Amino acid sequence: MVVSNLSAHEIDRIFQAMADATRRDIITQVMVREQSVSALAARYAMSFAAVQKHVAVLERAALVGKERRGREQIVQANPETLRRAAQLLDAYEQIWHDRAERMVGILAENKPISEKGQKS
């Protein structure tokens, strides 16, 4: 299954990055508005360095980007990567819907003769 030209490695990076609650919250925060790493670090009960590491994981997964502005590193969301991840999940959902429809069809075909002829 090919979704938006994502490689297996890219898919792994995206979902591994999103597996952490702090990183998901960072994504949420920078989707609302870009923020400096310092501003993000003030939100969490962890060191600045720990927040920097979380941002680095998100950056390697292309979920966020950083831009230097003066002395600050500004973190911005990358909605395109999130869109691609959503497309992948939609594709998986479609596979399950198709599978369920096939099962319903198989079950309908295999009804006993006595049930097929009954009126409701």
Side-chain angles (χ1 to χ4, degrees):
M1 169 180 32
V2 176
V3 177
S4 300
N5 301 320
L6 288 173
S7 70
H9 183 69
E10 290 170 315
I11 293 167
D12 289 346
R13 276 192 175 171
I14 290 167
F15 288 106
Q16 286 170 357
M18 292 179 67
D20 181 84
T22 300
R23 290 192 289 265
R24 288 190 307 273
D25 190 61
I26 290 170
I27 293 168
T28 301
Q29 295 307 312
V30 298
M31 288 291 287
V32 173
R33 69 177 172 81
E34 59 186 32
Q35 297 182 45
S36 69
V37 176
S38 300
L40 288 168
R43 296 182 51 82
Y44 306 104
M46 63 181 72
S47 69
F48 177 83
V51 173
Q52 277 185 310
K53 287 180 182 179
H54 281 299
V55 170
V57 170
L58 293 169
E59 193 173 23
R60 280 192 300 275
L63 290 162
V64 302
K66 284 192 310 191
E67 175 185 330
R68 180 164 290 286
R69 291 190 195 152
R71 294 178 54 201
E72 293 187 312
Q73 292 278 335
I74 304 300
V75 182
Q76 304 163 329
N78 183 352
E80 182 56 32
T81 302
L82 287 170
R83 232 182 322 277
R84 289 175 168 180
Q87 289 171 345
L88 179 64
L89 292 173
D90 289 344
Y92 284 134
E93 181 181 19
Q94 188 59 51
I95 289 169
W96 281 103
H97 282 287
D98 293 347
R99 182 179 254 181
E101 287 178 18
R102 285 193 309 270
M103 286 190 291
V104 167
I106 290 169
L107 291 172
E109 290 173 6
N110 292 327
K111 279 188 177 179
I113 295 174
S114 61
E115 288 182 28
K116 287 182 183 178
Q118 290 180 347
K119 294 182 181 178
S120 300

PDB file of all heavy atoms in Angstrom, residues 73-92:
ATOM      1  N   GLN A  73      14.979  29.479  18.724  1.00  0.00           N
ATOM      2  CA  GLN A  73      14.606  28.463  17.734  1.00  0.00           C
ATOM      3  C   GLN A  73      13.077  28.393  17.750  1.00  0.00           C
ATOM      4  O   GLN A  73      12.478  28.037  18.771  1.00  0.00           O
ATOM      5  CB  GLN A  73      15.177  27.091  18.119  1.00  0.00           C
ATOM      6  CG  GLN A  73      16.665  26.992  18.025  1.00  0.00           C
ATOM      7  CD  GLN A  73      17.101  26.733  16.590  1.00  0.00           C
ATOM      8  OE1 GLN A  73      16.357  26.196  15.786  1.00  0.00           O
ATOM      9  NE2 GLN A  73      18.304  27.130  16.279  1.00  0.00           N
ATOM     10  N   ILE A  74      12.460  28.736  16.641  1.00  0.00           N
ATOM     11  CA  ILE A  74      11.001  28.744  16.548  1.00  0.00           C
ATOM     12  C   ILE A  74      10.556  27.411  15.936  1.00  0.00           C
ATOM     13  O   ILE A  74      11.056  27.000  14.891  1.00  0.00           O
ATOM     14  CB  ILE A  74      10.493  29.922  15.697  1.00  0.00           C
ATOM     15  CG1 ILE A  74      11.018  31.248  16.255  1.00  0.00           C
ATOM     16  CG2 ILE A  74       8.977  29.916  15.605  1.00  0.00           C
ATOM     17  CD1 ILE A  74      10.593  31.556  17.678  1.00  0.00           C
ATOM     18  N   VAL A  75       9.618  26.762  16.613  1.00  0.00           N
ATOM     19  CA  VAL A  75       9.102  25.466  16.164  1.00  0.00           C
ATOM     20  C   VAL A  75       7.780  25.698  15.439  1.00  0.00           C
ATOM     21  O   VAL A  75       6.889  26.379  15.953  1.00  0.00           O
ATOM     22  CB  VAL A  75       8.902  24.508  17.359  1.00  0.00           C
ATOM     23  CG1 VAL A  75       8.408  23.151  16.885  1.00  0.00           C
ATOM     24  CG2 VAL A  75      10.193  24.375  18.161  1.00  0.00           C
ATOM     25  N   GLN A  76       7.680  25.129  14.245  1.00  0.00           N
ATOM     26  CA  GLN A  76       6.475  25.262  13.413  1.00  0.00           C
ATOM     27  C   GLN A  76       5.981  23.870  13.056  1.00  0.00           C
ATOM     28  O   GLN A  76       6.775  22.961  12.808  1.00  0.00           O
ATOM     29  CB  GLN A  76       6.803  26.014  12.125  1.00  0.00           C
ATOM     30  CG  GLN A  76       7.423  27.350  12.347  1.00  0.00           C
ATOM     31  CD  GLN A  76       8.111  27.886  11.092  1.00  0.00           C
ATOM     32  OE1 GLN A  76       8.609  27.125  10.284  1.00  0.00           O
ATOM     33  NE2 GLN A  76       8.143  29.198  10.972  1.00  0.00           N
ATOM     34  N   ALA A  77       4.680  23.714  13.001  1.00  0.00           N
ATOM     35  CA  ALA A  77       4.082  22.433  12.606  1.00  0.00           C
ATOM     36  C   ALA A  77       4.258  22.219  11.111  1.00  0.00           C
ATOM     37  O   ALA A  77       4.343  23.178  10.343  1.00  0.00           O
ATOM     38  CB  ALA A  77       2.603  22.415  12.961  1.00  0.00           C
ATOM     39  N   ASN A  78       4.309  20.966  10.720  1.00  0.00           N
ATOM     40  CA  ASN A  78       4.336  20.609   9.299  1.00  0.00           C
ATOM     41  C   ASN A  78       3.039  19.855   9.006  1.00  0.00           C
ATOM     42  O   ASN A  78       2.974  18.630   9.126  1.00  0.00           O
ATOM     43  CB  ASN A  78       5.552  19.738   8.982  1.00  0.00           C
ATOM     44  CG  ASN A  78       5.643  19.420   7.513  1.00  0.00           C
ATOM     45  OD1 ASN A  78       4.732  19.708   6.744  1.00  0.00           O
ATOM     46  ND2 ASN A  78       6.736  18.812   7.120  1.00  0.00           N
ATOM     47  N   PRO A  79       1.980  20.585   8.641  1.00  0.00           N
ATOM     48  CA  PRO A  79       0.683  19.944   8.440  1.00  0.00           C
ATOM     49  C   PRO A  79       0.692  18.904   7.316  1.00  0.00           C
ATOM     50  O   PRO A  79      -0.105  17.970   7.333  1.00  0.00           O
ATOM     51  CB  PRO A  79      -0.268  21.093   8.124  1.00  0.00           C
ATOM     52  CG  PRO A  79       0.529  22.324   8.049  1.00  0.00           C
ATOM     53  CD  PRO A  79       1.932  22.023   8.454  1.00  0.00           C
ATOM     54  N   GLU A  80       1.593  19.026   6.354  1.00  0.00           N
ATOM     55  CA  GLU A  80       1.629  18.062   5.248  1.00  0.00           C
ATOM     56  C   GLU A  80       1.965  16.656   5.751  1.00  0.00           C
ATOM     57  O   GLU A  80       1.360  15.676   5.312  1.00  0.00           O
ATOM     58  CB  GLU A  80       2.628  18.507   4.176  1.00  0.00           C
ATOM     59  CG  GLU A  80       2.695  17.579   2.982  1.00  0.00           C
ATOM     60  CD  GLU A  80       1.341  17.358   2.288  1.00  0.00           C
ATOM     61  OE1 GLU A  80       0.509  18.276   2.277  1.00  0.00           O
ATOM     62  OE2 GLU A  80       1.128  16.249   1.769  1.00  0.00           O
ATOM     63  N   THR A  81       2.904  16.561   6.678  1.00  0.00           N
ATOM     64  CA  THR A  81       3.240  15.242   7.229  1.00  0.00           C
ATOM     65  C   THR A  81       2.067  14.678   8.019  1.00  0.00           C
ATOM     66  O   THR A  81       1.765  13.490   7.929  1.00  0.00           O
ATOM     67  CB  THR A  81       4.497  15.323   8.112  1.00  0.00           C
ATOM     68  OG1 THR A  81       5.574  15.828   7.319  1.00  0.00           O
ATOM     69  CG2 THR A  81       4.882  13.959   8.654  1.00  0.00           C
ATOM     70  N   LEU A  82       1.389  15.525   8.764  1.00  0.00           N
ATOM     71  CA  LEU A  82       0.206  15.061   9.504  1.00  0.00           C
ATOM     72  C   LEU A  82      -0.888  14.602   8.538  1.00  0.00           C
ATOM     73  O   LEU A  82      -1.563  13.604   8.779  1.00  0.00           O
ATOM     74  CB  LEU A  82      -0.330  16.171  10.410  1.00  0.00           C
ATOM     75  CG  LEU A  82       0.514  16.459  11.645  1.00  0.00           C
ATOM     76  CD1 LEU A  82       0.022  17.722  12.339  1.00  0.00           C
ATOM     77  CD2 LEU A  82       0.493  15.283  12.592  1.00  0.00           C
ATOM     78  N   ARG A  83      -1.029  15.307   7.437  1.00  0.00           N
ATOM     79  CA  ARG A  83      -2.011  14.919   6.411  1.00  0.00           C
ATOM     80  C   ARG A  83      -1.670  13.537   5.844  1.00  0.00           C
ATOM     81  O   ARG A  83      -2.537  12.697   5.646  1.00  0.00           O
ATOM     82  CB  ARG A  83      -2.019  15.964   5.300  1.00  0.00           C
ATOM     83  CG  ARG A  83      -3.383  16.495   4.967  1.00  0.00           C
ATOM     84  CD  ARG A  83      -3.420  17.501   3.826  1.00  0.00           C
ATOM     85  NE  ARG A  83      -2.341  18.463   3.728  1.00  0.00           N
ATOM     86  CZ  ARG A  83      -2.276  19.602   4.409  1.00  0.00           C
ATOM     87  NH1 ARG A  83      -3.225  19.924   5.245  1.00  0.00           N
ATOM     88  NH2 ARG A  83      -1.270  20.428   4.244  1.00  0.00           N
ATOM     89  N   ARG A  84      -0.391  13.321   5.583  1.00  0.00           N
ATOM     90  CA  ARG A  84       0.027  12.023   5.050  1.00  0.00           C
ATOM     91  C   ARG A  84      -0.236  10.899   6.053  1.00  0.00           C
ATOM     92  O   ARG A  84      -0.670   9.813   5.667  1.00  0.00           O
ATOM     93  CB  ARG A  84       1.508  12.053   4.681  1.00  0.00           C
ATOM     94  CG  ARG A  84       1.806  12.881   3.466  1.00  0.00           C
ATOM     95  CD  ARG A  84       3.282  12.956   3.244  1.00  0.00           C
ATOM     96  NE  ARG A  84       3.595  13.494   1.937  1.00  0.00           N
ATOM     97  CZ  ARG A  84       4.818  13.656   1.504  1.00  0.00           C
ATOM     98  NH1 ARG A  84       5.850  13.319   2.241  1.00  0.00           N
ATOM     99  NH2 ARG A  84       5.028  14.152   0.305  1.00  0.00           N
ATOM    100  N   ALA A  85       0.033  11.169   7.329  1.00  0.00           N
ATOM    101  CA  ALA A  85      -0.244  10.166   8.363  1.00  0.00           C
ATOM    102  C   ALA A  85      -1.744   9.872   8.431  1.00  0.00           C
ATOM    103  O   ALA A  85      -2.153   8.711   8.546  1.00  0.00           O
ATOM    104  CB  ALA A  85       0.279  10.638   9.717  1.00  0.00           C
ATOM    105  N   ALA A  86      -2.554  10.914   8.325  1.00  0.00           N
ATOM    106  CA  ALA A  86      -4.014  10.731   8.338  1.00  0.00           C
ATOM    107  C   ALA A  86      -4.468   9.922   7.126  1.00  0.00           C
ATOM    108  O   ALA A  86      -5.350   9.054   7.237  1.00  0.00           O
ATOM    109  CB  ALA A  86      -4.718  12.085   8.372  1.00  0.00           C
ATOM    110  N   GLN A  87      -3.860  10.172   5.970  1.00  0.00           N
ATOM    111  CA  GLN A  87      -4.203   9.402   4.762  1.00  0.00           C
ATOM    112  C   GLN A  87      -3.862   7.923   4.946  1.00  0.00           C
ATOM    113  O   GLN A  87      -4.612   7.047   4.516  1.00  0.00           O
ATOM    114  CB  GLN A  87      -3.460   9.957   3.545  1.00  0.00           C
ATOM    115  CG  GLN A  87      -3.964  11.293   3.076  1.00  0.00           C
ATOM    116  CD  GLN A  87      -3.064  11.908   2.003  1.00  0.00           C
ATOM    117  OE1 GLN A  87      -1.929  11.486   1.801  1.00  0.00           O
ATOM    118  NE2 GLN A  87      -3.577  12.927   1.330  1.00  0.00           N
ATOM    119  N   LEU A  88      -2.743   7.661   5.587  1.00  0.00           N
ATOM    120  CA  LEU A  88      -2.356   6.276   5.843  1.00  0.00           C
ATOM    121  C   LEU A  88      -3.372   5.599   6.760  1.00  0.00           C
ATOM    122  O   LEU A  88      -3.819   4.481   6.484  1.00  0.00           O
ATOM    123  CB  LEU A  88      -0.958   6.226   6.465  1.00  0.00           C
ATOM    124  CG  LEU A  88      -0.447   4.831   6.814  1.00  0.00           C
ATOM    125  CD1 LEU A  88      -0.272   3.993   5.557  1.00  0.00           C
ATOM    126  CD2 LEU A  88       0.857   4.928   7.580  1.00  0.00           C
ATOM    127  N   LEU A  89      -3.765   6.282   7.824  1.00  0.00           N
ATOM    128  CA  LEU A  89      -4.763   5.716   8.734  1.00  0.00           C
ATOM    129  C   LEU A  89      -6.100   5.519   8.027  1.00  0.00           C
ATOM    130  O   LEU A  89      -6.788   4.513   8.247  1.00  0.00           O
ATOM    131  CB  LEU A  89      -4.925   6.607   9.964  1.00  0.00           C
ATOM    132  CG  LEU A  89      -3.714   6.646  10.896  1.00  0.00           C
ATOM    133  CD1 LEU A  89      -3.926   7.690  11.987  1.00  0.00           C
ATOM    134  CD2 LEU A  89      -3.439   5.285  11.494  1.00  0.00           C
ATOM    135  N   ASP A  90      -6.472   6.461   7.158  1.00  0.00           N
ATOM    136  CA  ASP A  90      -7.700   6.310   6.370  1.00  0.00           C
ATOM    137  C   ASP A  90      -7.623   5.082   5.470  1.00  0.00           C
ATOM    138  O   ASP A  90      -8.608   4.352   5.313  1.00  0.00           O
ATOM    139  CB  ASP A  90      -7.963   7.551   5.518  1.00  0.00           C
ATOM    140  CG  ASP A  90      -8.394   8.760   6.330  1.00  0.00           C
ATOM    141  OD1 ASP A  90      -8.779   8.596   7.505  1.00  0.00           O
ATOM    142  OD2 ASP A  90      -8.323   9.882   5.781  1.00  0.00           O
ATOM    143  N   ALA A  91      -6.447   4.847   4.888  1.00  0.00           N
ATOM    144  CA  ALA A  91      -6.271   3.678   4.021  1.00  0.00           C
ATOM    145  C   ALA A  91      -6.424   2.390   4.822  1.00  0.00           C
ATOM    146  O   ALA A  91      -7.062   1.439   4.363  1.00  0.00           O
ATOM    147  CB  ALA A  91      -4.908   3.727   3.331  1.00  0.00           C
ATOM    148  N   TYR A  92      -5.855   2.355   6.031  1.00  0.00           N
ATOM    149  CA  TYR A  92      -6.015   1.172   6.887  1.00  0.00           C
ATOM    150  C   TYR A  92      -7.486   0.973   7.265  1.00  0.00           C
ATOM    151  O   TYR A  92      -7.993  -0.143   7.277  1.00  0.00           O
ATOM    152  CB  TYR A  92      -5.174   1.293   8.155  1.00  0.00           C
ATOM    153  CG  TYR A  92      -3.704   1.054   7.948  1.00  0.00           C
ATOM    154  CD1 TYR A  92      -2.754   1.907   8.498  1.00  0.00           C
ATOM    155  CD2 TYR A  92      -3.236  -0.040   7.217  1.00  0.00           C
ATOM    156  CE1 TYR A  92      -1.403   1.695   8.307  1.00  0.00           C
ATOM    157  CE2 TYR A  92      -1.888  -0.260   7.028  1.00  0.00           C
ATOM    158  CZ  TYR A  92      -0.978   0.611   7.581  1.00  0.00           C
ATOM    159  OH  TYR A  92       0.358   0.398   7.405  1.00  0.00           O
TER     160      TYR A  92
END
